[in-house]
Amino acid sequence: MDFALAIPSGNWLVSSEKPRARGLGARCSVFVPSDNNSTSTDVGLKERPWKIADARLVLKDGSVWKAKSFGATGTQIGEVVFNTSLTGYQEILTDPSYAGQFVLMTNPHIGNTGVNLDDEESRKCFLAGMVIRSLSISTSNWRCAETLGSYLVKRNIMGIYDVDTRAITRRLREDGSLIGVLSTEQSKSDEELLEMSRSWDIVGVDLISGVTCDSPYEWVDKTGDDWDFNIEGRHGETYHVVAYDFGIKQNILRRLASVGCRITVVPSNWPASETLRMKPDGILFSNGPGDPSAVPYAVETVKTLLGKVPIFGICMGHQLLGQALGGKTFKMKFGHHGGNHPVRNLRNGRVEISSQNHNYAVDPASLPDGIEVTHINLNDGTCAGLAFPAKNIMSLQYHPEASPGPHDSDAVFCEFVDMMKRVKENA
């Protein structure tokens, strides 16, 4: 490979004439080795030694965004949402709540720390794809096991970079979340991809059935001592919790186990009668993807279990509880996705920095009497937590296990244990 710098000929002269602009031009030549069909004089340019745009993101509004691909190739459809987290892209990739969505990271530099074996939140990647501004060309972290690009290739997840993520984010904030099609297939025209984006909608789609477990299993792992900040607060394994897997994150299970819970995880369609036959001390309704109105079977299960044992709902679980209690949910303009959302606990006035990932919210005005709004999102005033003391129910519309604060919301797991303890003692 020969790199030749072309410098304009001629000298710089002092003259009364108006100077003409001169510049430096760079020419990169890649010499093709001689073979039987060429001579030593057959020299030419082969291909650029840098990656060129080979992918497109076509949004439902008709805009086409050219980019460079990394990870898997092909064509994929999904809802485009933006996430404002500065770190934690591996947890985002493996969060089942992102099923059916392209996640655009507003932080421009992604991939700096690579990926490792410890930060997985589920058994696989469920999101449709990743959209970033700049893909790091190197990694620097003592736990790094491989690069982000190779990680996505192995898991068949598409990604694009060198795209104007700020412009797309502004568009999503103004127009709301948009359906998009991501493609590396040059045989597909922009018009075809646009038609695909306009022929699919995420509203009303049951995404939970695609991320839940197949059969019940026991969870025993706790938060490791190297990472657990509250070892002295651990209880003995006294309380049996049945956790409904609507797309549960593993760190929720670790935190429950660390505060003294024996956990049985069950599929999203697990009958309420079978749950009660297990005689649990409490029930967890987990986080999960999509529209709560698209899973009426889950709402009916929640209704059946109300008041039977203490209940804790997180994210999707919070929304299902809202519907089961007689309230309504609604789709937000662009949702909450990030690790920097301020939430006020109305009971004690404390403000927590929370991790959030949801496109739907509970309408507090639709809830019946006796249900208390315990938390609100300070960015837009939406409901971020509920409690129904008469039936021993509590819920949050964010992830207390994610700890971006770093531990602002973790105490809620102890509150759930205290509720189970109180009910058990008074039984």
Side-chain angles (χ1 to χ4, degrees):
M1 180 179 291
D2 168 61
F3 291 88
L5 184 64
I7 304 177
S9 60
N11 299 318
W12 290 96
L13 301 175
V14 178
S15 171
S16 59
E17 297 180 1
K18 183 178 181 180
R20 291 176 295 176
R22 294 172 180 253
L24 295 179
R27 182 180 73 247
C28 176
S29 301
V30 180
F31 290 98
V32 182
S34 300
D35 55 29
N36 294 333
N37 299 321
S38 63
T39 67
S40 59
T41 58
D42 292 332
V43 176
L45 292 174
K46 188 176 181 182
E47 64 179 24
R48 297 178 178 89
W50 56 84
K51 190 176 181 69
I52 62 174
D54 61 345
R56 289 163 293 165
L57 173 63
V58 179
L59 299 180
K60 186 177 180 179
D61 65 358
S63 59
V64 179
W65 306 81
K66 293 184 178 181
K68 300 173 184 177
S69 67
F70 72 107
T73 58
T75 299
Q76 182 63 268
I77 190 169
E79 180 184 42
V80 185
V81 298
F82 63 89
N83 187 297
T84 56
S85 297
L86 297 180
T87 61
Y89 55 81
Q90 187 174 351
E91 289 89 336
I92 291 168
L93 286 167
T94 53
D95 182 351
S97 296
Y98 280 113
Q101 294 179 323
F102 295 128
V103 180
L104 180 153
M105 302 297 295
T106 59
N107 181 29
H109 302 293
I110 300 296
N112 311 53
T113 56
V115 294
N116 63 77
L117 302 177
D118 299 327
D119 291 346
E120 306 280 87
E121 286 289 358
S122 64
R123 65 185 184 277
K124 59 181 288 188
C125 296
F126 287 99
L127 81 176
M130 175 166 270
V131 180
I132 64 176
R133 178 66 185 92
S134 177
L135 177 64
S136 178
I137 61 175
S138 62
T139 60
S140 178
N141 186 271
W142 64 277
R143 295 191 299 155
C144 177
E146 61 181 321
T147 65
L148 176 59
S150 63
Y151 176 87
L152 294 187
V153 169
K154 293 177 182 177
R155 287 153 182 80
N156 198 34
I157 300 297
M158 298 181 68
I160 58 172
Y161 67 102
D162 269 10
V163 64
D164 192 343
T165 52
R166 294 182 69 183
I168 298 176
T169 299
R170 287 195 298 267
R171 185 164 301 213
L172 297 177
R173 283 186 60 87
E174 293 170 1
D175 300 336
S177 299
L178 293 168
I179 302 299
V181 176
L182 183 58
S183 181
T184 59
E185 298 180 86
Q186 301 306 314
S187 61
K188 296 184 182 295
S189 67
D190 293 348
E191 291 73 19
E192 289 178 289
L193 299 179
L194 178 59
E195 180 59 30
M196 288 179 62
S197 71
R198 291 177 174 175
S199 62
W200 184 79
D201 198 348
I202 198 170
V203 177
V205 177
D206 177 7
L207 296 171
I208 288 177
S209 59
V211 302
T212 189
C213 59
D214 296 324
S215 58
Y217 64 92
E218 300 293 320
W219 180 272
V220 296
D221 292 345
K222 301 177 181 179
T223 303
D225 290 346
D226 290 342
W227 301 101
D228 199 338
F229 63 98
N230 191 25
I231 297 177
E232 295 181 358
R234 287 181 174 180
H235 301 272
E237 293 187 357
T238 307
Y239 305 100
H240 180 207
V241 173
V242 172
Y244 272 80
D245 179 9
F246 299 129
I248 198 165
K249 293 173 66 178
Q250 293 178 354
N251 208 35
I252 293 175
L253 299 173
R254 293 190 194 99
R255 295 310 298 147
L256 279 174
S258 295
V259 295
C261 296
R262 178 173 62 86
I263 307 164
T264 303
V265 184
V266 299
S268 62
N269 59 358
W270 190 251
S273 58
E274 293 297 318
T275 296
L276 294 174
R277 192 170 288 118
M278 296 177 181
K279 300 187 182 302
D281 297 305
I283 296 173
L284 172 77
F285 295 121
S286 82
N287 62 289
D291 182 357
S293 298
V295 286
Y297 62 88
V299 177
E300 289 303 316
T301 298
V302 175
K303 283 183 180 180
T304 304
L305 294 171
L306 292 177
K308 300 294 195 301
V309 294
I311 290 175
F312 181 24
I314 296 176
C315 293
M316 173 60 76
H318 163 85
Q319 297 162 20
L320 294 174
L321 279 167
Q323 289 196 5
L325 290 168
K328 297 179 180 179
T329 57
F330 63 93
K331 193 174 192 300
M332 307 171 76
K333 185 175 181 180
F334 47 80
H336 295 159
H337 311 278
N340 52 3
H341 287 256
V343 169
R344 172 170 285 138
N345 184 326
L346 299 178
R347 287 175 162 177
N348 56 27
R350 292 181 65 247
V351 174
E352 305 168 10
I353 301 302
S354 69
S355 174
Q356 304 203 9
N357 173 23
H358 60 100
N359 269 20
Y360 293 82
V362 175
D363 179 7
S366 66
L367 295 169
D369 294 339
I371 300 174
E372 176 189 1
V373 175
T374 58
H375 300 72
I376 59 168
N377 187 300
L378 293 180
N379 285 337
D380 57 13
T382 53
C383 174
L386 294 173
F388 193 1
K391 292 187 178 295
N392 297 304
I393 294 170
M394 56 186 289
S395 68
L396 294 177
Q397 184 60 89
Y398 55 95
H399 287 270
E401 86 291 343
S403 305
H407 308 301
D408 295 11
S409 307
D410 191 78
V412 72
F413 292 106
C414 290
E415 291 176 18
F416 182 42
V417 169
D418 290 342
M419 183 166 63
M420 290 189 288
K421 180 180 179 181
R422 183 174 63 253
V423 171
K424 193 171 185 178
E425 290 176 348
N426 294 333

mmCIF file of all heavy atoms in Angstrom, residues 245-275:
data_model
loop_
_atom_site.group_PDB
_atom_site.id
_atom_site.type_symbol
_atom_site.label_atom_id
_atom_site.label_comp_id
_atom_site.label_asym_id
_atom_site.label_seq_id
_atom_site.Cartn_x
_atom_site.Cartn_y
_atom_site.Cartn_z
ATOM 1 N N ASP A 245 -42.486 -13.512 35.216
ATOM 2 C CA ASP A 245 -41.492 -13.060 34.245
ATOM 3 C C ASP A 245 -42.184 -12.466 33.026
ATOM 4 O O ASP A 245 -42.549 -13.172 32.087
ATOM 5 C CB ASP A 245 -40.604 -14.242 33.832
ATOM 6 C CG ASP A 245 -39.554 -13.858 32.804
ATOM 7 O OD1 ASP A 245 -39.390 -12.649 32.541
ATOM 8 O OD2 ASP A 245 -38.904 -14.771 32.251
ATOM 9 N N PHE A 246 -42.334 -11.141 33.028
ATOM 10 C CA PHE A 246 -42.841 -10.432 31.854
ATOM 11 C C PHE A 246 -41.682 -9.894 31.007
ATOM 12 O O PHE A 246 -41.904 -9.169 30.041
ATOM 13 C CB PHE A 246 -43.748 -9.272 32.283
ATOM 14 C CG PHE A 246 -44.958 -9.702 33.064
ATOM 15 C CD1 PHE A 246 -45.266 -9.098 34.273
ATOM 16 C CD2 PHE A 246 -45.774 -10.706 32.587
ATOM 17 C CE1 PHE A 246 -46.383 -9.489 34.996
ATOM 18 C CE2 PHE A 246 -46.893 -11.113 33.321
ATOM 19 C CZ PHE A 246 -47.201 -10.500 34.526
ATOM 20 N N GLY A 247 -40.462 -10.275 31.399
ATOM 21 C CA GLY A 247 -39.239 -9.767 30.773
ATOM 22 C C GLY A 247 -38.286 -9.329 31.866
ATOM 23 O O GLY A 247 -37.609 -8.308 31.764
ATOM 24 N N ILE A 248 -38.215 -10.127 32.915
ATOM 25 C CA ILE A 248 -37.546 -9.725 34.153
ATOM 26 C C ILE A 248 -36.043 -9.559 33.961
ATOM 27 O O ILE A 248 -35.399 -10.308 33.230
ATOM 28 C CB ILE A 248 -37.844 -10.751 35.272
ATOM 29 C CG1 ILE A 248 -37.543 -10.159 36.649
ATOM 30 C CG2 ILE A 248 -37.077 -12.050 35.053
ATOM 31 C CD1 ILE A 248 -38.141 -10.955 37.792
ATOM 32 N N LYS A 249 -35.484 -8.561 34.622
ATOM 33 C CA LYS A 249 -34.037 -8.333 34.630
ATOM 34 C C LYS A 249 -33.428 -9.112 35.796
ATOM 35 O O LYS A 249 -33.968 -9.138 36.904
ATOM 36 C CB LYS A 249 -33.737 -6.844 34.765
ATOM 37 C CG LYS A 249 -34.167 -6.023 33.558
ATOM 38 C CD LYS A 249 -34.019 -4.532 33.803
ATOM 39 C CE LYS A 249 -32.575 -4.125 33.968
ATOM 40 N NZ LYS A 249 -32.436 -2.654 34.158
ATOM 41 N N GLN A 250 -32.277 -9.696 35.538
ATOM 42 C CA GLN A 250 -31.664 -10.566 36.529
ATOM 43 C C GLN A 250 -31.247 -9.829 37.792
ATOM 44 O O GLN A 250 -31.234 -10.413 38.881
ATOM 45 C CB GLN A 250 -30.467 -11.289 35.911
ATOM 46 C CG GLN A 250 -30.869 -12.289 34.833
ATOM 47 C CD GLN A 250 -29.682 -12.976 34.184
ATOM 48 O OE1 GLN A 250 -28.526 -12.630 34.447
ATOM 49 N NE2 GLN A 250 -29.957 -13.941 33.324
ATOM 50 N N ASN A 251 -30.926 -8.544 37.659
ATOM 51 C CA ASN A 251 -30.495 -7.828 38.854
ATOM 52 C C ASN A 251 -31.651 -7.593 39.827
ATOM 53 O O ASN A 251 -31.419 -7.420 41.026
ATOM 54 C CB ASN A 251 -29.846 -6.497 38.479
ATOM 55 C CG ASN A 251 -28.817 -6.054 39.498
ATOM 56 O OD1 ASN A 251 -28.120 -6.875 40.081
ATOM 57 N ND2 ASN A 251 -28.745 -4.764 39.741
ATOM 58 N N ILE A 252 -32.893 -7.577 39.334
ATOM 59 C CA ILE A 252 -34.043 -7.524 40.235
ATOM 60 C C ILE A 252 -34.066 -8.776 41.102
ATOM 61 O O ILE A 252 -34.285 -8.706 42.324
ATOM 62 C CB ILE A 252 -35.356 -7.403 39.433
ATOM 63 C CG1 ILE A 252 -35.427 -6.052 38.723
ATOM 64 C CG2 ILE A 252 -36.573 -7.596 40.347
ATOM 65 C CD1 ILE A 252 -36.634 -5.894 37.820
ATOM 66 N N LEU A 253 -33.823 -9.917 40.463
ATOM 67 C CA LEU A 253 -33.806 -11.180 41.209
ATOM 68 C C LEU A 253 -32.654 -11.216 42.193
ATOM 69 O O LEU A 253 -32.803 -11.703 43.328
ATOM 70 C CB LEU A 253 -33.719 -12.346 40.227
ATOM 71 C CG LEU A 253 -34.880 -12.466 39.231
ATOM 72 C CD1 LEU A 253 -34.610 -13.557 38.209
ATOM 73 C CD2 LEU A 253 -36.183 -12.742 39.967
ATOM 74 N N ARG A 254 -31.491 -10.706 41.800
ATOM 75 C CA ARG A 254 -30.337 -10.686 42.713
ATOM 76 C C ARG A 254 -30.622 -9.837 43.953
ATOM 77 O O ARG A 254 -30.270 -10.210 45.073
ATOM 78 C CB ARG A 254 -29.099 -10.151 41.995
ATOM 79 C CG ARG A 254 -28.575 -11.043 40.887
ATOM 80 C CD ARG A 254 -27.214 -10.557 40.405
ATOM 81 N NE ARG A 254 -26.840 -11.185 39.156
ATOM 82 C CZ ARG A 254 -26.973 -10.627 37.960
ATOM 83 N NH1 ARG A 254 -27.458 -9.405 37.854
ATOM 84 N NH2 ARG A 254 -26.612 -11.266 36.865
ATOM 85 N N ARG A 255 -31.244 -8.669 43.722
ATOM 86 C CA ARG A 255 -31.513 -7.798 44.860
ATOM 87 C C ARG A 255 -32.557 -8.416 45.793
ATOM 88 O O ARG A 255 -32.447 -8.314 47.013
ATOM 89 C CB ARG A 255 -31.995 -6.410 44.379
ATOM 90 C CG ARG A 255 -30.980 -5.610 43.606
ATOM 91 C CD ARG A 255 -29.627 -5.542 44.316
ATOM 92 N NE ARG A 255 -29.717 -4.885 45.621
ATOM 93 C CZ ARG A 255 -28.978 -5.209 46.659
ATOM 94 N NH1 ARG A 255 -28.113 -6.212 46.586
ATOM 95 N NH2 ARG A 255 -29.105 -4.553 47.795
ATOM 96 N N LEU A 256 -33.576 -9.067 45.242
ATOM 97 C CA LEU A 256 -34.565 -9.743 46.091
ATOM 98 C C LEU A 256 -33.906 -10.857 46.895
ATOM 99 O O LEU A 256 -34.174 -11.016 48.093
ATOM 100 C CB LEU A 256 -35.694 -10.309 45.237
ATOM 101 C CG LEU A 256 -36.784 -9.337 44.794
ATOM 102 C CD1 LEU A 256 -37.740 -10.019 43.824
ATOM 103 C CD2 LEU A 256 -37.561 -8.795 45.991
ATOM 104 N N ALA A 257 -33.047 -11.641 46.242
ATOM 105 C CA ALA A 257 -32.361 -12.721 46.949
ATOM 106 C C ALA A 257 -31.454 -12.173 48.039
ATOM 107 O O ALA A 257 -31.307 -12.780 49.111
ATOM 108 C CB ALA A 257 -31.562 -13.567 45.957
ATOM 109 N N SER A 258 -30.853 -11.004 47.789
ATOM 110 C CA SER A 258 -29.918 -10.423 48.752
ATOM 111 C C SER A 258 -30.602 -9.899 50.006
ATOM 112 O O SER A 258 -29.950 -9.760 51.053
ATOM 113 C CB SER A 258 -29.126 -9.288 48.083
ATOM 114 O OG SER A 258 -28.300 -9.777 47.053
ATOM 115 N N VAL A 259 -31.898 -9.589 49.913
ATOM 116 C CA VAL A 259 -32.605 -9.088 51.096
ATOM 117 C C VAL A 259 -33.448 -10.181 51.756
ATOM 118 O O VAL A 259 -34.308 -9.889 52.589
ATOM 119 C CB VAL A 259 -33.487 -7.867 50.762
ATOM 120 C CG1 VAL A 259 -32.631 -6.695 50.323
ATOM 121 C CG2 VAL A 259 -34.536 -8.199 49.711
ATOM 122 N N GLY A 260 -33.208 -11.436 51.385
ATOM 123 C CA GLY A 260 -33.828 -12.531 52.127
ATOM 124 C C GLY A 260 -35.005 -13.183 51.457
ATOM 125 O O GLY A 260 -35.939 -13.606 52.147
ATOM 126 N N CYS A 261 -35.006 -13.302 50.140
ATOM 127 C CA CYS A 261 -36.127 -13.925 49.442
ATOM 128 C C CYS A 261 -35.689 -15.211 48.746
ATOM 129 O O CYS A 261 -34.608 -15.271 48.155
ATOM 130 C CB CYS A 261 -36.722 -12.977 48.413
ATOM 131 S SG CYS A 261 -37.448 -11.487 49.125
ATOM 132 N N ARG A 262 -36.545 -16.208 48.827
ATOM 133 C CA ARG A 262 -36.398 -17.422 48.023
ATOM 134 C C ARG A 262 -37.347 -17.266 46.843
ATOM 135 O O ARG A 262 -38.549 -17.094 47.031
ATOM 136 C CB ARG A 262 -36.750 -18.659 48.852
ATOM 137 C CG ARG A 262 -36.662 -19.970 48.086
ATOM 138 C CD ARG A 262 -36.851 -21.157 49.036
ATOM 139 N NE ARG A 262 -38.167 -21.144 49.659
ATOM 140 C CZ ARG A 262 -39.260 -21.683 49.114
ATOM 141 N NH1 ARG A 262 -39.209 -22.242 47.911
ATOM 142 N NH2 ARG A 262 -40.406 -21.650 49.777
ATOM 143 N N ILE A 263 -36.821 -17.322 45.638
ATOM 144 C CA ILE A 263 -37.580 -16.864 44.472
ATOM 145 C C ILE A 263 -37.881 -18.011 43.512
ATOM 146 O O ILE A 263 -36.991 -18.776 43.138
ATOM 147 C CB ILE A 263 -36.800 -15.771 43.717
ATOM 148 C CG1 ILE A 263 -36.399 -14.651 44.677
ATOM 149 C CG2 ILE A 263 -37.630 -15.214 42.571
ATOM 150 C CD1 ILE A 263 -35.312 -13.747 44.133
ATOM 151 N N THR A 264 -39.150 -18.098 43.132
ATOM 152 C CA THR A 264 -39.577 -18.984 42.060
ATOM 153 C C THR A 264 -40.064 -18.114 40.907
ATOM 154 O O THR A 264 -41.011 -17.336 41.070
ATOM 155 C CB THR A 264 -40.720 -19.912 42.508
ATOM 156 O OG1 THR A 264 -40.310 -20.670 43.650
ATOM 157 C CG2 THR A 264 -41.122 -20.864 41.379
ATOM 158 N N VAL A 265 -39.402 -18.214 39.765
ATOM 159 C CA VAL A 265 -39.774 -17.425 38.586
ATOM 160 C C VAL A 265 -40.725 -18.252 37.735
ATOM 161 O O VAL A 265 -40.465 -19.429 37.457
ATOM 162 C CB VAL A 265 -38.529 -17.039 37.766
ATOM 163 C CG1 VAL A 265 -38.922 -16.149 36.594
ATOM 164 C CG2 VAL A 265 -37.510 -16.324 38.655
ATOM 165 N N VAL A 266 -41.834 -17.642 37.317
ATOM 166 C CA VAL A 266 -42.842 -18.354 36.519
ATOM 167 C C VAL A 266 -43.111 -17.588 35.230
ATOM 168 O O VAL A 266 -42.900 -16.371 35.160
ATOM 169 C CB VAL A 266 -44.152 -18.542 37.303
ATOM 170 C CG1 VAL A 266 -43.913 -19.377 38.562
ATOM 171 C CG2 VAL A 266 -44.771 -17.193 37.668
ATOM 172 N N PRO A 267 -43.596 -18.275 34.179
ATOM 173 C CA PRO A 267 -43.898 -17.602 32.906
ATOM 174 C C PRO A 267 -45.038 -16.607 33.041
ATOM 175 O O PRO A 267 -45.812 -16.637 34.010
ATOM 176 C CB PRO A 267 -44.281 -18.762 31.969
ATOM 177 C CG PRO A 267 -43.747 -19.997 32.627
ATOM 178 C CD PRO A 267 -43.781 -19.733 34.093
ATOM 179 N N SER A 268 -45.165 -15.750 32.049
ATOM 180 C CA SER A 268 -46.180 -14.692 32.086
ATOM 181 C C SER A 268 -47.601 -15.235 32.078
ATOM 182 O O SER A 268 -48.525 -14.570 32.556
ATOM 183 C CB SER A 268 -45.983 -13.750 30.893
ATOM 184 O OG SER A 268 -46.140 -14.449 29.670
ATOM 185 N N ASN A 269 -47.802 -16.421 31.524
ATOM 186 C CA ASN A 269 -49.146 -16.996 31.445
ATOM 187 C C ASN A 269 -49.412 -18.029 32.539
ATOM 188 O O ASN A 269 -50.354 -18.828 32.434
ATOM 189 C CB ASN A 269 -49.371 -17.635 30.069
ATOM 190 C CG ASN A 269 -48.357 -18.732 29.756
ATOM 191 O OD1 ASN A 269 -47.465 -19.000 30.552
ATOM 192 N ND2 ASN A 269 -48.508 -19.358 28.592
ATOM 193 N N TRP A 270 -48.596 -18.012 33.586
ATOM 194 C CA TRP A 270 -48.754 -18.965 34.679
ATOM 195 C C TRP A 270 -50.080 -18.714 35.403
ATOM 196 O O TRP A 270 -50.379 -17.584 35.792
ATOM 197 C CB TRP A 270 -47.596 -18.826 35.652
ATOM 198 C CG TRP A 270 -47.494 -19.888 36.702
ATOM 199 C CD1 TRP A 270 -47.747 -19.748 38.028
ATOM 200 C CD2 TRP A 270 -47.079 -21.243 36.512
ATOM 201 N NE1 TRP A 270 -47.523 -20.918 38.690
ATOM 202 C CE2 TRP A 270 -47.119 -21.867 37.777
ATOM 203 C CE3 TRP A 270 -46.697 -21.989 35.402
ATOM 204 C CZ2 TRP A 270 -46.778 -23.207 37.961
ATOM 205 C CZ3 TRP A 270 -46.355 -23.326 35.583
ATOM 206 C CH2 TRP A 270 -46.399 -23.919 36.849
ATOM 207 N N PRO A 271 -50.913 -19.749 35.598
ATOM 208 C CA PRO A 271 -52.228 -19.555 36.218
ATOM 209 C C PRO A 271 -52.121 -19.041 37.654
ATOM 210 O O PRO A 271 -51.248 -19.478 38.414
ATOM 211 C CB PRO A 271 -52.856 -20.958 36.177
ATOM 212 C CG PRO A 271 -52.106 -21.695 35.106
ATOM 213 C CD PRO A 271 -50.714 -21.147 35.149
ATOM 214 N N ALA A 272 -53.017 -18.159 38.013
ATOM 215 C CA ALA A 272 -53.030 -17.618 39.378
ATOM 216 C C ALA A 272 -53.280 -18.718 40.398
ATOM 217 O O ALA A 272 -52.729 -18.691 41.510
ATOM 218 C CB ALA A 272 -54.092 -16.532 39.484
ATOM 219 N N SER A 273 -54.106 -19.708 40.027
ATOM 220 C CA SER A 273 -54.399 -20.806 40.959
ATOM 221 C C SER A 273 -53.142 -21.594 41.303
ATOM 222 O O SER A 273 -52.958 -22.033 42.451
ATOM 223 C CB SER A 273 -55.461 -21.730 40.344
ATOM 224 O OG SER A 273 -55.003 -22.250 39.097
ATOM 225 N N GLU A 274 -52.251 -21.785 40.313
ATOM 226 C CA GLU A 274 -51.009 -22.503 40.564
ATOM 227 C C GLU A 274 -50.080 -21.681 41.455
ATOM 228 O O GLU A 274 -49.350 -22.238 42.288
ATOM 229 C CB GLU A 274 -50.308 -22.826 39.240
ATOM 230 C CG GLU A 274 -51.041 -23.828 38.372
ATOM 231 C CD GLU A 274 -51.149 -25.186 39.060
ATOM 232 O OE1 GLU A 274 -50.144 -25.615 39.678
ATOM 233 O OE2 GLU A 274 -52.228 -25.805 38.993
ATOM 234 N N THR A 275 -50.114 -20.375 41.284
ATOM 235 C CA THR A 275 -49.294 -19.510 42.131
ATOM 236 C C THR A 275 -49.746 -19.596 43.584
ATOM 237 O O THR A 275 -48.927 -19.744 44.497
ATOM 238 C CB THR A 275 -49.382 -18.057 41.641
ATOM 239 O OG1 THR A 275 -48.836 -17.964 40.324
ATOM 240 C CG2 THR A 275 -48.619 -17.113 42.565
#
